[in-house]
Amino acid sequence: MSRPRVHVTGAVPAAIAAAIAESFDTVSDPSDAEGILALISTRIDDGYLAAAGPQLRIVANYGVGVDNIDLPAAAVRGIVVTNTPDVLTETTAELAIALTLSLLRRVAEGDRFLRAGKPWGFGLEFMLGEGLRGKQFAIVGPGRIGRATARLAEAFGAEPLYAGRGELAGVLPRADVVSIHTPLTAETRHLIDKEALALLRPTAVLVNTARGAIVDEQALVAALREGRLAGAALDVYEHEPAVTAELLTFENVVLTPHLGSATCATREAMGMSAVSALRSLLLEGRRPGNTVGQ
């Protein structure tokens, strides 16, 4: 008896490859596939879905964000789209706090300083930074990851503030730290633009572990260059994997290469969630519980 055919759009951990091989036949061409396991770096747009053919029934995204998938185009074709919620919540929240502390306590800057071989000695006013205690910690997008980040920030003594899209004007002027956790949609693209950045105090910092295009990088660079923002910590970029060159020149900017979910356990759990969705629909005829937007 033939098994369902699945196309995987990129390299996956060995455990996930084994789980796929256990249940499915893998195919190199999506036009032969009934299911696709899609990495978030693969753009699944209308053209991709049209070329894949009418036999395609499900796209299981290897990530919680689905901005790489044209959801309306999938819905028109009756293609189920799933994501991997919950399993990366705490891991991404940890990175948001790690980036915040690295920025405030000048960890990355200090690392660069020592690696450059610059002379130094202990001094009471040498490389002074800031702590989280007493800070107003604004969460833009208070979903699963945003609220998990808020709990960690609160454990360090910060006071969480929550802001949806329509609440920025009331929250940003009060914030010491602004941490971005909203999904990327047409409505949230450049949500943090020149006008939003102008609401921040010059002592505030911006942290983004969500999606790069939520922040207008050119507006961010201008705010940093003009001293209207105390710093930024970014894990995601507007034109990822490209990074706006001027961001690399600022000492008060911490940059990481999209590591939000990057622990071995989390990446494996994400993959197993995607495989489970494929099995539910293609082997058991059940609609997966982590279906998105339909």
Side-chain angles (χ1 to χ4, degrees), residues 25-66:
D25 290 331
T26 56
V27 293
S28 59
D29 189 337
S31 66
D32 294 329
E34 297 163 81
I36 291 176
L37 192 154
L39 275 61
I40 62 169
S41 55
T42 305
R43 177 64 184 160
I44 310 291
D45 58 14
D46 184 63
Y48 187 107
L49 294 172
Q55 83 292 333
L56 181 62
R57 299 172 59 196
I58 178 172
V59 176
N61 213 37
Y62 205 129
V64 67
V66 291

Side-chain angles (χ1 to χ4, degrees), residues 217-277:
E217 277 188 13
Q218 292 302 322
L220 174 61
V221 165
L224 290 164
R225 187 195 310 123
E226 296 163 13
R228 293 184 284 107
L229 192 64
L234 308 174
D235 186 48
V236 289
Y237 306 93
E238 185 171 358
H239 304 292
E240 192 170 313
V243 179
T244 299
E246 196 167 351
L247 288 172
L248 303 170
T249 69
F250 296 111
E251 286 291 353
N252 59 338
V253 171
V254 176
L255 306 171
T256 51
H258 206 143
L259 302 179
S261 63
T263 70
C264 293
T266 298
R267 289 281 171 83
E268 187 169 312
M270 291 166 64
M272 290 308 300
S273 176
V275 172
S276 178

Side-chain angles (χ1 to χ4, degrees), residues 91-106:
T91 306
T92 307
E94 287 172 356
L95 184 70
I97 296 299
L99 287 172
T100 303
L101 290 172
S102 180
L103 179 61
L104 293 179
R105 293 301 306 273
R106 302 175 70 174

Side-chain angles (χ1 to χ4, degrees), residues 50 61 74 104 117 129 137 161 178 205 222 257 273 287:
N61 213 37
L104 293 179
F137 198 104
L161 306 172
V178 177
V205 299
S273 176
R287 193 173 187 81

